[in-house]
Amino acid sequence: MDKLVIDGGISLNGEIRIAGAKNSALPILAATLLTDDTVTIRNLPHLYDITTMLELLGCMGVEPVVDEKMNVEVNTSTIRDFNAPYDLVKTMRASILVLGPLLAHHGKADVALPGGCAIGSRPVNLHITALEKMGADIRVEDGYIKAKMEGRLKGAHIFMDVSTVTGTENVLMAATLADGQTIIENAAREPEVVDLAECLIAMGAEIRGHGTDTIIVEGKEKLHGCSHAVMPDRIETGTYLIAAAATRGRIKLKDTRPDILEAVLSKLEEAGADIRVGEDWIELDMHGKRPRAVSLRTAPYPAFPTDMQAQFTAMNAVASGSGSITETVFENRFMHVHEMIRMGASMEVQGNTVLVTGVPELKGAPVMATDLRASASLIIAALVAKNQTVVDRIYHIDRGYECIEEKMQLLGARIRRLPG
Ligand code: UD1
């Protein structure tokens, strides 16, 4: 297993480009299953999760064509198998996103049931009940969700008990080909849902209200091909900004979108960062100062994103003062805390809150990445630590961060990969 070796103590400084959003590219790749025409997706990030989704399409008989610029052309008319096997689903829970499109376009889908994961039990019950409400016959047996439908799904009025991102996306995709109108209430408002809706509209879908908590879809008999550029990754953007703030640095991020990062930018300003933005860039300057600890609470968009919680915990670890971080979206998302304590951080978990008192410095130690965003937070902790840190199990980070060591090196970090 590869490891990352990081010699900390350097302020990040420089300019990098932000990749396409993983959480937008994954549902958009699944949406290609809604048409027999070719869909061209541009600005696809170069990530392990994307490779897994392409592999999943591949094992169904679809052959996506990827060019050297990571544009991909997908034509799913060659599909022969409607099955998402456990071997792929267990490495990437977002495989569940093929359920809605397969059922809507082909009337059949067998998708392995995603199990628990490092950050909690993460059920998919809301995906299933919504599709059942649209007329699908769904059984959960032998570890699989086995779904079928004679004819078209039926438009329905769906209320999501909990705001779920992939749940909203699955129902939204299914509704584009349903017979009649579907209303999704308490829909997720995340920008990635909006990006998916815009791609579906380019494919001929009729959707309104995306970006609000009520999405209305008028089902169509057929969708067609399109060309769509994936939006910038707001979580990658936020991660580099926090890394720069924690290391008292100065960076400029290009090809990103400040308008979808308001909650994160305002916390960084509270931490003492000087932030300037343009339409597609963000600059952060700490003027060499130590950040101030901040308190925050995660919640669905537009509130503070759970996917940025661990990185702020790392910044608080070396900030002045103390801050409390409360996680309300997932039940077990503090695995990084125990690793940071091993690096000398002063942190205490109380229920779904971690209380952090900043210390003047962390000390390098061997640590273990446990999930995607926890890995990013350990890299930030390592960048500010004295001496060397070795981060083990970094396959987690390769799932969601494009070329992280190259980008960090461009910003001056002393980081290298140790092949395992
Ligand atoms: C997506 C993101 C992930 C992010 C998360 C929350 C993708 C591929 N992943 O994950 O990076 O951390 O949103 O912003 O986009 N829930 C249920 N029943 C369901 C579905 C969800 O109870 O059927 C609960 C979950 O347990 C969790 C909450 O809803 O407590 C939100 O989860 P959800 O938005 O579904 O997360 P994902 O879509 O899996």
Side-chain angles (χ1 to χ4, degrees):
M1 259 181 258
D2 289 6
K3 296 181 171 73
L4 281 179
V5 181
I6 299 161
D7 289 290
I10 300 230
S11 292
L12 295 189
N13 202 312
E15 261 185 44
I16 51 166
R17 171 185 176 267
I18 293 301
K22 167 179 94 66
N23 287 354
S24 170
L26 291 173
I28 288 172
L29 279 168
T32 63
L33 290 163
L34 290 163
T35 175
D36 294 334
D37 293 349
T38 300
V39 177
T40 305
I41 307 170
R42 293 170 283 124
N43 200 32
L44 206 64
H46 201 288
L47 301 172
Y48 201 73
D49 270 7
I50 298 298
T51 315
T52 306
M53 188 57 103
L54 293 172
E55 215 178 303
L56 178 55
L57 292 171
C59 77
M60 293 178 191
V62 177
E63 286 172 21
V65 182
V66 187
D67 74 14
E68 72 289 349
K69 289 191 181 143
M70 276 307 272
N71 296 326
V72 64
E73 280 187 8
V74 192
N75 183 303
T76 65
S77 61
T78 54
I79 190 164
R80 47 164 201 270
D81 204 343
F82 308 98
N83 183 7
Y86 181 63
D87 276 354
L88 289 175
V89 178
K90 76 172 186 217
T91 64
M92 187 184 68
R93 297 177 44 84
S95 310
I96 187 76
L97 286 163
V98 300
L99 178 63
L102 281 178
L103 194 55
H105 188 38
H106 299 285
K108 184 173 166 29
D110 287 351
V111 178
L113 197 59
C117 70
I119 62 175
S121 65
R122 296 183 84 172
V124 289
N125 56 312
L126 299 172
H127 303 231
I128 296 175
T129 45
L131 292 169
E132 278 175 340
K133 205 157 177 212
M134 298 174 80
D137 172 9
I138 304 186
R139 280 172 303 135
V140 177
E141 59 182 26
D142 312 326
Y144 270 77
I145 303 166
K146 297 184 178 175
K148 55 184 197 260
M149 178 74 201
E150 289 289 335
R152 287 170 75 189
L153 289 168
K154 310 244 170 316
H157 195 141
I158 287 159
F159 179 84
M160 294 287 190
D161 279 347
V162 180
S163 169
T164 155
V165 178
T166 49
T168 301
E169 291 167 344
N170 240 335
V171 179
L172 172 63
M173 289 189 279
T176 60
L177 287 180
D179 186 7
Q181 186 183 68
T182 299
I183 301 176
I184 311 171
E185 292 208 65
N186 198 26
R189 293 187 280 167
E190 268 66 6
E192 293 76 15
V193 175
V194 176
D195 201 26
L196 169 66
E198 275 162 11
C199 176
L200 293 168
I201 291 168
M203 292 168 74
E206 199 179 324
I207 301 170
R208 54 187 201 279
H210 42 298
T212 76
D213 59 6
T214 306
I215 304 180
I216 301 170
V217 187
E218 310 293 339
K220 299 278 178 196
E221 268 181 48
K222 228 172 134 172
L223 296 187
H224 51 71
C226 76
S227 171
H228 181 83
V230 174
M231 62 177 264
D233 197 311
R234 63 191 168 106
I235 307 300
E236 187 195 26
T237 304
T239 301
Y240 283 103
L241 290 174
I242 298 167
T247 60
R248 310 181 188 193
R250 176 169 190 263
I251 59 166
K252 182 170 185 179
L253 305 177
K254 295 180 293 187
D255 295 340
T256 185
R257 269 182 56 186
D259 61 311
I260 51 176
L261 275 140
E262 280 179 16
V264 171
L265 296 182
S266 82
K267 283 293 157 195
L268 285 166
E269 279 175 335
E270 210 180 305
D274 192 0
I275 293 177
R276 292 197 319 130
V277 301
E279 199 182 325
D280 64 352
W281 57 267
I282 305 176
E283 219 172 57
L284 175 145
D285 194 346
M286 289 302 284
H287 301 290
K289 288 187 313 235
R290 184 180 182 192
R292 286 191 293 273
V294 293
S295 293
L296 58 91
R297 184 183 179 86
T298 68
Y301 189 84
F304 189 90
T306 173
D307 285 352
M308 302 260 44
Q309 175 261 103
Q311 299 87 319
F312 264 95
T313 309
M315 187 198 76
N316 273 0
V318 289
S320 59
S322 51
S324 72
I325 294 192
T326 302
E327 171 61 55
T328 74
V329 179
F330 293 113
E331 76 260 32
N332 182 22
R333 213 173 189 182
F334 288 138
M335 309 278 274
H336 47 281
V337 168
H338 308 289
E339 299 300 297
M340 288 180 199
I341 290 173
R342 298 179 55 244
M343 297 174 74
S346 168
M347 300 180 175
E348 192 189 337
V349 178
Q350 289 181 358
N352 65 344
T353 296
V354 55
L355 303 171
V356 187
T357 304
V359 293
E361 66 181 21
L362 296 178
K363 296 193 180 59
V367 290
M368 183 116 78
T370 48
D371 71 61
L372 173 54
R373 305 306 169 186
S375 324
S377 73
L378 292 177
I379 292 180
I380 295 173
L383 288 172
V384 292
K386 218 175 139 194
N387 308 328
Q388 193 170 78
T389 298
V390 179
V391 185
D392 200 354
R393 299 210 178 160
I394 55 143
Y395 56 86
H396 289 291
I397 204 130
D398 295 331
R399 287 188 37 218
Y401 288 90
E402 181 179 278
C403 308
I404 191 153
E405 69 266 36
E406 284 87 346
K407 287 187 178 180
M408 286 289 185
Q409 281 162 4
L410 270 174
L411 297 172
R414 290 178 298 191
I415 178 170
R416 67 195 155 85
R417 185 175 289 249
L418 211 61

